[in-house]
Amino acid sequence: MNPDLLASSLLAAVTAAVERRDGAVAASLSVGDIALERPRNRDHGDWATSVALKLAKRIGLAPRALAEELAAAFGTIEGVASVEVAGPGFLNIRLEAGAAGALAAAIVAAGDAYGGNDALAGQSINLEFVSANPTGPLHIGHTRWAALGDSLARVLQAAGARVTSEFYINDAGAQMETFGESVLAAALGEPAPENAYPGQYIADLGARALEARPDLADLPREEAVVVARELAYGWQLGEIRESLERFNVHFDVWFSERTLHEAGEGGRTAIEDAVDRLRAQGHVFDDGDAVWVRTTDFGDDKDRVIRRGNGVHTYFGADAAYYLSKKDRGFARTIYLLGADHHGYVHRLKALAGAAGDDPENDIEVLIGQLVSINGARLSKRAGNIIELDDLRDWLGTDALRYSLARYPADSPLTLDPELLQKRTNDNPVFYVQYAHARTHQVARNAAAAGVDGSLFAAELLTDETESILLGALAEFPRIVAQAASLREPHRVARYLEELAAAFHRWYDVCRVTPVGDDPVEPVHHARRVLADATGQVLRNGLGLLGVSAPERM
């Protein structure tokens, strides 16, 4: 019996008991009211629920009295071995061995789909992350946002949401002009301009630009800057795409900021349209020659200029047009994952959502990631002043980096130990989990060689205490995925996998899947083969949510 089926059965029993006293309360009940949890002490049973404590006051009954009534009803559910009332009204439920063990076969049958749920079904989410300037290589900060953002996208999808992962290309503004000037100077062998981008990669881009356009020196200066900028921009953006793909990070949409500044039908830009739309909502006002958005109405610390007196729109104008474009594309909810230096954007973006007529508390989320450092990491030979994603990946490997970066909350500063991440020992969390998965395949290979057949499955034979603990851990996976999605915390999946791996290793040390020597294969061996396969499936599914591989041999 899986947790969802048990919760549904319990809900039916609770609804029947409550309906006799208050039909309105009974009609309002849902599976969420059951609130199944795993007891910390497994001597208390397989599952626990506080539903009696939650409902007793609403129907005018003492919690323990309701709990005793529910205990009798729960005890009649098929697969439930016993129900005990504890404390002021908690209910501890123990399943029959067969009902508990059947989960292993159900996981194997579900395969890659196990762990998926409908917690966020019907939600359409735009998730923006990384969004680096296309003026240089991706650095260590981008590496963390890439790992976290992609893992979050996977978790949200597993919880039933429709997710579009989006990279906002900051390809407009002064930084692009500086980039063009830097590349042109390198191409022509000129001194670097003030505030030029540093690093060997600029020299390399300059050489490529000169090779592609040998006439650069003959062009008017403004035209030469544009040519150099556009060539280098295309190459650098391509490198960013390739770096992310090698890091196992995929974006559905690459959104160019330039499109917001380009005139469309009627000769108007998206930014100009955004100003008019916000004005129609009643939150735009004129003060002097400038145009403002009254963002203080929605908690911002000050009102924001959206168009200066000289007619030039501010960055806030592009932010507004970009947000509205997401709304126009049908996203009910937008999530921004921004770097540690973007705290000021939180109130600004939420106020912008409010000014657009949306709910700032529900329709937009701004997650701020903290800084990350890696002991002993060297500055890029090409860029000189940063630690590059590609260098980190080549040094530590995609799996170690992605797992380690997704293992901690986004809002916690992080320092990684490269020596630990390169160890093939149980001290290395990613190795520990991957090794557990590889061991499940080793078990399967040995079992097949010994004639252990998982199709001869008898769930009631999985009675060892370590098997009960392992089954309990496997049952938790869908809840962990749903929780990680709703809280936007993919690190919960990583921590869960480590607990599951520990439960599997303890079970492996106690319970044999193959007979000793020439001993005959017994029915319990077949059952344990399925339990090992189920564990491998859940480890594989969980690692997949983190963008980490699940090797079959190590």
Side-chain angles (χ1 to χ4, degrees):
M1 176 179 290
N2 63 49
D4 290 340
L5 180 58
L6 176 60
S8 296
S9 299
L10 297 180
L11 175 62
V14 171
T15 300
V18 172
E19 194 169 27
R20 291 193 291 269
R21 295 175 173 83
D22 192 320
V25 173
S28 69
L29 297 178
S30 68
V31 170
D33 293 303
I34 302 302
L36 276 180
E37 294 182 353
R38 281 281 175 183
R40 292 185 179 180
N41 185 343
R42 294 307 299 276
D43 291 339
H44 294 164
D46 297 302
W47 295 98
T49 175
S50 59
V51 65
L53 293 169
K54 293 177 63 177
L55 298 179
K57 185 176 182 180
R58 294 173 64 185
I59 62 174
L61 199 63
R64 191 169 177 92
L66 178 58
E68 290 172 350
E69 182 178 334
L70 293 178
F74 292 173
T76 65
I77 296 173
E78 184 177 356
V80 173
S82 64
V83 183
E84 297 177 353
V85 178
F90 293 100
L91 288 154
N92 294 326
I93 303 166
R94 190 178 303 279
L95 301 180
E96 295 174 356
L103 176 65
I107 291 172
V108 172
D112 294 344
Y114 183 70
N117 56 81
D118 60 359
L120 302 182
Q123 291 194 24
S124 177
I125 299 175
N126 180 283
L127 174 62
E128 182 208 331
F129 57 103
V130 182
S131 297
N133 293 340
T135 55
L138 296 176
H139 57 61
I140 189 172
H142 299 133
T143 304
R144 187 178 194 185
W145 319 146
L148 283 170
D150 186 68
S151 297
L152 179 56
R154 294 167 186 251
V155 168
L156 292 171
Q157 289 169 335
R162 298 189 304 277
V163 181
T164 294
S165 57
E166 186 154 316
F167 188 114
Y168 181 65
I169 311 168
N170 291 273
D171 53 5
Q175 81 277 3
M176 293 300 296
E177 298 307 313
T178 302
F179 181 56
E181 292 278 5
S182 302
V183 173
L184 180 62
L188 301 181
E190 299 174 350
E194 187 178 357
N195 299 322
Y197 284 92
Q200 181 61 40
Y201 82 98
I202 290 292
D204 294 340
L205 289 172
R208 288 184 67 181
L210 188 60
E211 182 180 359
R213 289 294 301 269
D215 61 337
L216 267 180
D218 301 325
L219 298 176
R221 186 70 185 189
E222 289 187 5
E223 183 180 350
V225 170
V226 172
V227 170
R229 182 192 69 203
E230 292 307 294
L231 287 171
Y233 164 50
W235 295 324
Q236 195 59 54
L237 182 61
E239 181 181 305
I240 288 172
R241 289 176 182 260
E242 292 172 6
S243 293
L244 290 167
E245 288 290 345
R246 288 193 294 267
F247 198 48
N248 203 17
V249 175
H250 171 74
F251 284 93
D252 300 308
V253 174
W254 293 76
F255 190 101
S256 168
E257 181 186 353
R258 289 181 176 183
T259 61
L260 303 175
H261 298 266
E262 295 169 353
E265 294 183 12
R268 293 176 58 78
T269 68
I271 296 176
E272 290 171 332
D273 286 339
V275 175
D276 289 347
R277 291 171 66 176
L278 295 180
R279 190 184 292 275
Q281 292 286 339
H283 302 292
V284 170
F285 66 97
D286 300 313
D287 187 359
D289 295 329
V291 179
W292 299 68
V293 180
R294 192 174 288 105
T295 53
T296 52
D297 289 347
F298 303 96
D300 200 3
D301 58 344
K302 62 180 180 181
D303 294 329
R304 302 285 172 176
V305 176
I306 198 167
R307 190 178 69 199
R308 299 187 181 95
N310 60 6
V312 176
H313 290 93
T314 64
Y315 283 117
F316 188 66
D319 291 339
Y322 182 44
Y323 177 80
L324 290 172
S325 83
K326 295 181 180 183
K327 186 175 179 179
D328 293 342
R329 284 181 277 151
F331 297 109
R333 185 179 293 257
T334 59
I335 302 176
Y336 294 75
L337 177 55
L338 304 179
D341 56 344
H342 286 72
H343 278 282
Y345 275 76
V346 177
H347 291 305
R348 188 184 315 177
L349 289 173
K350 282 186 169 290
L352 177 56
D358 295 334
D359 182 352
E361 298 304 317
N362 294 305
D363 296 337
I364 183 171
E365 298 175 58
V366 185
L367 309 179
I368 300 295
Q370 288 301 316
L371 299 176
V372 58
S373 60
I374 299 181
N375 292 331
R378 297 180 179 178
L379 295 178
S380 166
K381 292 181 180 179
R382 295 190 312 138
N385 61 340
I386 64 171
I387 300 170
E388 279 196 56
L389 183 159
D390 285 341
D391 290 342
L392 290 172
R393 184 183 55 79
D394 291 341
W395 179 28
L396 300 175
T398 294
D399 286 346
L401 261 181
R402 287 209 52 158
Y403 187 93
S404 300
L405 293 171
R407 189 172 178 257
Y408 296 89
D411 59 358
S412 64
L414 175 59
T415 299
L416 298 181
D417 181 352
E419 288 190 18
L420 177 63
L421 297 183
Q422 292 174 309
K423 285 183 177 179
R424 296 176 62 83
T425 68
N426 289 344
D427 294 331
N428 179 355
V430 65
F431 177 86
Y432 186 66
V433 174
Q434 287 182 316
Y435 180 67
H437 178 266
R439 179 173 266 185
T440 65
H441 279 269
Q442 178 189 17
V443 167
R445 291 191 293 269
N446 293 343
V452 178
D453 185 356
S455 66
L456 304 175
F457 178 65
E460 66 275 8
L461 299 178
L462 300 175
T463 58
D464 188 87
E465 181 182 2
T466 60
E467 289 169 334
S468 176
I469 293 172
L470 181 54
L471 285 163
L474 294 172
E476 284 284 88
F477 185 52
R479 184 184 69 83
I480 293 295
V481 174
Q483 188 179 63
S486 63
L487 296 176
R488 317 311 193 214
E489 294 180 342
H491 73 273
R492 293 175 179 269
V493 174
R495 299 301 177 138
Y496 162 81
L497 291 176
E498 291 162 36
E499 294 177 3
L500 176 61
F504 172 73
H505 289 311
R506 286 193 295 268
W507 170 78
Y508 178 87
D509 290 340
V510 172
C511 296
R512 292 195 60 86
V513 180
T514 55
V516 177
D518 295 329
D519 290 351
V521 175
E522 298 180 358
V524 70
H525 296 129
H526 302 308
R528 288 172 177 169
R529 161 73 187 274
V530 176
L531 181 56
D533 289 345
T535 304
Q537 184 67 64
V538 174
L539 288 168
R540 188 159 55 253
N541 292 358
L543 287 168
L545 292 178
L546 302 177
V548 177
S549 70
E552 296 184 6
R553 297 177 186 269
M554 292 183 70

